[in-house]
Amino acid sequence: MDLFLSLAFQEQSKEDGLTVMCRGCGVQKLMTKFIQFYCYGSETHHQSQVEEDERKLVFVINVKDEEQGGGRHKQSDEQTIMDTLLAEGVPPNRLPTLLTSKTKMEGRREEVFGRGGCFICTSRILIVDLLDGKVDAKRISGILVPDAHEIAEG
């Protein structure tokens, strides 16, 4: 990772903050590094040993899938993220959970969120699940928003 990106990662992983980057500065690399960091969670504890209050949630919203990409990409950004994480050595069982309107999880999302971890979803899914009480906002430790300028009220 470039020195600039390493410094940005170190700064943002130590404390709360906002990073705004333009295209060409490595935003995809930095975002993937954060997702990789959050996929592992606490490396010193097994998930079952971590107290419920310690299991944090991280959401990656506004990631384009193939339908939203408008022909801009040969593969979806979601798939690019997953492929990059696998190439970086993240085991398949530690990859982010993908939640879309097509994901069948009737009545299970609250249980899945309860385990913590990293989730790729739409802003609409996150908002509805927050309003419905399926997500405990106090446990959210990060929200990554690539292409935030493209989020529109809808």
Side-chain angles (χ1 to χ4, degrees), residues 8 42 66 79 87 91 96-97 99 103 108 114 117 125 144 151 153:
S42 175
E66 292 173 16
Q79 191 58 51
T97 301
L99 301 173
T103 306
R108 290 195 30 227
I125 287 174
L144 304 172
I151 291 183
E153 193 173 322

Side-chain angles (χ1 to χ4, degrees), residues 1 11 16 33-34 44 47 54 57 69 74 81-82 86 91 94 96 100 104 109 117 126 129 132 137 150:
M1 185 184 280
E11 285 289 317
D16 293 344
K33 191 67 172 174
F34 272 106
T44 60
Q47 191 72 0
E54 294 181 60
L57 294 167
K74 290 183 180 175
I81 290 169
M82 297 298 198
L86 286 168
R94 292 285 196 150
T100 68
K104 302 294 182 211
R109 277 217 296 257
L126 177 57
D129 286 351
D132 287 345
E150 293 181 6

Side-chain angles (χ1 to χ4, degrees), residues 35 60 63 78 81-82 96-100 118-122:
I35 294 170
V60 184
V63 176
E78 295 163 349
I81 290 169
M82 297 298 198
T97 301
L98 182 60
L99 301 173
T100 68
C118 187
F119 298 87
I120 297 176
C121 65
T122 64

Side-chain angles (χ1 to χ4, degrees), residues 1-21 25-41 43 58 85 88 90 118 141-142 144:
M1 185 184 280
D2 299 332
L3 179 61
F4 166 73
L5 296 176
S6 293
L7 291 173
F9 177 78
Q10 289 172 7
E11 285 289 317
Q12 292 300 303
S13 62
K14 289 180 186 173
E15 57 185 82
D16 293 344
L18 172 68
T19 301
V20 178
M21 297 174 65
C25 289
V27 68
Q28 186 74 26
K29 285 182 187 176
L30 184 61
M31 188 182 70
T32 303
K33 191 67 172 174
F34 272 106
I35 294 170
Q36 181 179 7
F37 175 75
Y38 287 120
C39 282
Y40 279 101
E43 293 186 35
V58 175
L85 291 170
E88 291 287 326
V90 175
C118 187
S141 61
L144 304 172

